[in-house]
Amino acid sequence: MADAHSNVVPPAQPLTEAEFRNAWLQSLARLCAAHGDGRVALALGVSERHLRNLKSGASLPAADRIWNLLALDPSAHDEIDARYQVKNSPIDALCSTDPLTRDIIALANEVAQSEDPSSPGGVVVTDHELLQKDEHRMRRIHNTLGSWLKRIEAMRRPAIKAVA
């Protein structure tokens, strides 16, 4: 049984409509200050007049419009996310605490299955098998190993002596 404290994501607590609205209005005010009312209205798919109504808290836009703000600014939901104790990040973002070992083992298993002589392509990985691989996992491994290789190169690179 897993320890309750080992969970990376804390349990989200529900918000009341008023709490959600307040967090939304904080996000909206910050976005308007950073990007201007016109750009925010365009990202929301509303007129500037409608945006003024939204800023007054009279109504909330549809969920798809709120999510579309991420196309304008990746931090668009930060105030709302904070209330739910989560952080929005790209799906292929690397986290320094993500266990690489788990990804490597899973990828090694996928590769072993694809290269098995009894697999569709035999020891050669077919395009179909390749397209079934977990691309995000492969990119995480690639990015991590790439950053490690750069660190190794930097450590082994001889110091460039200043020419006098």
Side-chain angles (χ1 to χ4, degrees):
M1 178 179 224
D3 182 328
H5 298 290
S6 67
N7 191 349
V8 175
V9 181
Q13 299 299 315
L15 299 180
T16 65
E17 184 177 347
E19 291 169 329
F20 183 90
R21 184 182 311 275
N22 287 337
W24 154 248
L25 290 172
Q26 290 170 359
S27 290
L28 186 60
R30 179 179 54 81
L31 292 170
C32 288
H35 301 285
D37 286 4
R39 290 188 64 205
V40 173
L42 184 63
L44 275 170
V46 300
S47 68
E48 286 192 46
R49 181 177 179 201
H50 188 181
L51 178 64
R52 284 191 296 276
N53 289 339
L54 293 173
K55 287 169 77 172
S56 74
S59 64
L60 286 170
D64 62 318
R65 293 177 188 263
I66 293 173
W67 280 92
N68 285 342
L69 285 172
L70 290 172
L72 171 68
D73 188 323
S75 73
H77 298 160
D78 282 359
E79 291 81 357
I80 297 168
D81 289 345
R83 296 301 306 270
Y84 286 105
Q85 301 180 47
V86 298
K87 182 169 174 76
N88 203 353
S89 61
I91 196 165
D92 58 352
L94 292 175
C95 176
S96 62
T97 61
D98 286 347
L100 181 64
T101 307
R102 202 175 301 161
D103 281 335
I104 289 175
I105 290 169
L107 181 60
N109 183 50
E110 288 179 18
V111 171
Q113 290 176 6
S114 297
E115 291 181 343
D116 185 286
S118 64
S119 69
V123 295
V124 176
V125 179
T126 66
D127 289 349
H128 178 73
E129 290 170 317
L130 189 58
L131 289 172
Q132 291 180 327
K133 303 250 177 278
D134 185 335
E135 183 177 349
H136 295 294
R137 176 186 296 126
M138 290 172 45
R139 289 188 187 282
R140 283 192 305 269
I141 293 169
H142 172 80
N143 290 339
T144 301
L145 294 179
S147 70
W148 288 359
L149 287 169
K150 286 179 185 175
R151 285 173 57 195
I152 291 169
E153 288 171 6
M155 288 185 278
R156 291 191 174 155
R157 188 176 309 125
I160 299 174
K161 296 180 181 178
V163 178

